[in-house]
Amino acid sequence: MMRDFDILAQKVLQGGQLTREEGRDVLHCPDTQILRLLSATYRVRSHFCGRRVHLHMLINAKSGLCPEDCHYCSQSRVSTAEIERYPMVTMQRILEKAHEAKKARCRRYCIVISTRGATRREINFVAEVVRKIRQEVGIACCCSMGLIDEEKARILSEAGVEQYNHNLNTSENYYPSICTTHTYQDRLNTLHAARNAGLQLCSGAIFGQGESEEDILDIAEALRELQPQSIPVNFLFAIKGTPFEHIKRTLTPYDCLRILCLIRLYNPQQEVRLSAARESYLRTLQPLALYAANSVFVSGYLTEPGQNYRETWQMIEDMGFEIEEHAEQACVTAV
């Protein structure tokens, strides 16, 4: 018997949590019923987040040169992908990109470096940059600098960094299949250190890496337990030259919508962000994803291009949503 998705939405709105079987029913929603699932999910998204959408832009401030072996990543030591490889860019370049993010009406700007874990020198440099961005640009900042401890996280927090990004990426069970040079627990330790230092958390997953349905449910449950403020929902770029270049794409646009609905129903109050490869996986159904997600990455990813921010503006406007630029909480519980 097909699940009544409105009942699931009502359960979430009343403070309940989906069971694993209910989560499985979301993933098993028939294609012919996808609009019913989206409608039910939107009740939750609308209740907690209204019709607002937050835009985000990143800078790849240090590219390649990473000693890790993350199989999906074009910047890892095992990648032969034809990408730019360069050390830390100048402070001026990071500031220029921050101004671009502000022009694009972004709520948050993310500074990313390719590394196992940032050195103290890199932490101090980025902290200085963030102080300048806050003074000269006036945009919230996120950082993604690999594995860090609480001491380093506190330097970023005191400089005014709002969030620290470190994705769980997949389930704990599947993690050894995507990386062997660090563990799932290493990632959790970094997230806990960042939170203890006063930083908000940005942590999500990459789907389409060969994970099973059980892995998808596991990561949805893990994110619900972690309760990060932001959850990027990425899909795999099978980049030539990476160990995952031959992974066949099995997720359909409807599958991606089902995953987004699952993440929203499991995490009703969080920012759920349309992130890497959203354009190529969702294709013409991408606008429907806004019924689950309330945040979008614009103008490209680390080494791959993405939808221009002006095109994203148009998509949001066409769907009747509004861009929220100022730095308020992404979702606020309605009373």
Side-chain angles (χ1 to χ4, degrees), residues 300-317:
Y301 309 100
L302 292 172
T303 62
E304 298 299 308
Q307 186 181 56
N308 179 273
Y309 67 82
R310 293 186 183 275
E311 294 174 354
T312 305
W313 288 356
Q314 190 65 64
M315 177 178 72
I316 292 167
E317 180 182 335

Side-chain angles (χ1 to χ4, degrees), residues 165-220:
N165 166 257
H166 201 58
N167 292 327
L168 290 180
N169 283 331
T170 191
S171 71
E172 183 172 13
N173 181 65
Y174 194 62
Y175 202 84
S177 298
I178 73 167
C179 179
T180 67
T181 49
H182 63 264
T183 67
Y184 180 90
Q185 187 61 48
D186 288 333
R187 287 188 168 261
L188 276 178
N189 292 344
T190 283
L191 289 163
H192 291 315
R195 175 169 278 163
N196 289 341
L199 292 166
Q200 296 182 5
L201 301 186
C202 173
S203 187
I206 305 171
F207 297 98
Q209 300 184 93
E211 71 278 356
S212 68
E213 181 178 284
E214 297 307 310
D215 293 315
I216 294 173
L217 292 167
D218 282 348
I219 190 63

Side-chain angles (χ1 to χ4, degrees), residues 8-9 11-12 16-20 22-23 26 224 262 265-266:
L8 296 187
K11 178 179 181 179
V12 172
Q17 293 187 342
L18 266 60
T19 66
R20 194 173 183 90
E22 288 169 336
V26 170
R224 179 168 65 188
L262 178 78
L265 293 171
Y266 269 59

Side-chain angles (χ1 to χ4, degrees), residues 31-211:
D31 289 356
T32 55
Q33 299 298 317
I34 199 74
L35 292 180
R36 291 182 59 185
L37 173 59
L38 285 167
S39 177
T41 303
Y42 179 67
R43 288 180 57 200
V44 175
R45 184 246 201 262
S46 177
H47 178 82
F48 291 107
C49 310
R51 297 190 66 79
R52 301 185 300 276
V53 180
H54 304 114
L55 302 184
H56 299 260
M57 187 182 292
L58 61 77
I59 180 172
N60 192 9
K62 177 184 172 187
S63 180
L65 315 173
C66 183
E68 303 301 281
D69 72 349
C70 303
H71 300 353
Y72 53 83
C73 184
S74 60
Q75 302 185 81
S76 77
R77 65 173 173 81
V78 294
S79 168
T80 60
E82 295 182 2
I83 62 166
E84 288 187 86
R85 292 177 170 83
Y86 48 82
M88 188 79 78
V89 299
T90 65
M91 183 178 294
Q92 184 59 35
R93 176 59 186 142
I94 298 175
L95 283 167
E96 288 171 359
K97 191 74 172 181
H99 281 288
E100 183 181 338
K102 183 76 170 183
K103 178 183 176 182
R105 304 173 67 188
C106 291
R107 180 185 184 274
R108 194 177 295 116
Y109 171 56
C110 190
I111 301 168
V112 186
I113 70 170
S114 172
T115 181
R116 172 181 172 85
T119 65
R120 183 64 175 265
R121 182 178 180 180
E122 289 169 335
I123 291 284
N124 289 338
F125 172 75
V126 170
E128 184 180 356
V129 174
V130 169
R131 290 190 182 97
K132 283 188 173 293
I133 290 171
R134 294 182 68 201
Q135 293 170 359
E136 299 179 16
V137 185
I139 188 171
C141 289
C142 174
C143 291
S144 184
M145 305 178 71
L147 302 171
I148 60 171
D149 58 25
E150 191 171 329
E151 181 182 0
K152 290 177 178 177
R154 198 168 301 281
I155 293 171
L156 296 175
S157 179
E158 291 174 353
V161 174
E162 181 183 67
Q163 289 188 354
Y164 194 79
N165 166 257
H166 201 58
N167 292 327
L168 290 180
N169 283 331
T170 191
S171 71
E172 183 172 13
N173 181 65
Y174 194 62
Y175 202 84
S177 298
I178 73 167
C179 179
T180 67
T181 49
H182 63 264
T183 67
Y184 180 90
Q185 187 61 48
D186 288 333
R187 287 188 168 261
L188 276 178
N189 292 344
T190 283
L191 289 163
H192 291 315
R195 175 169 278 163
N196 289 341
L199 292 166
Q200 296 182 5
L201 301 186
C202 173
S203 187
I206 305 171
F207 297 98
Q209 300 184 93
E211 71 278 356

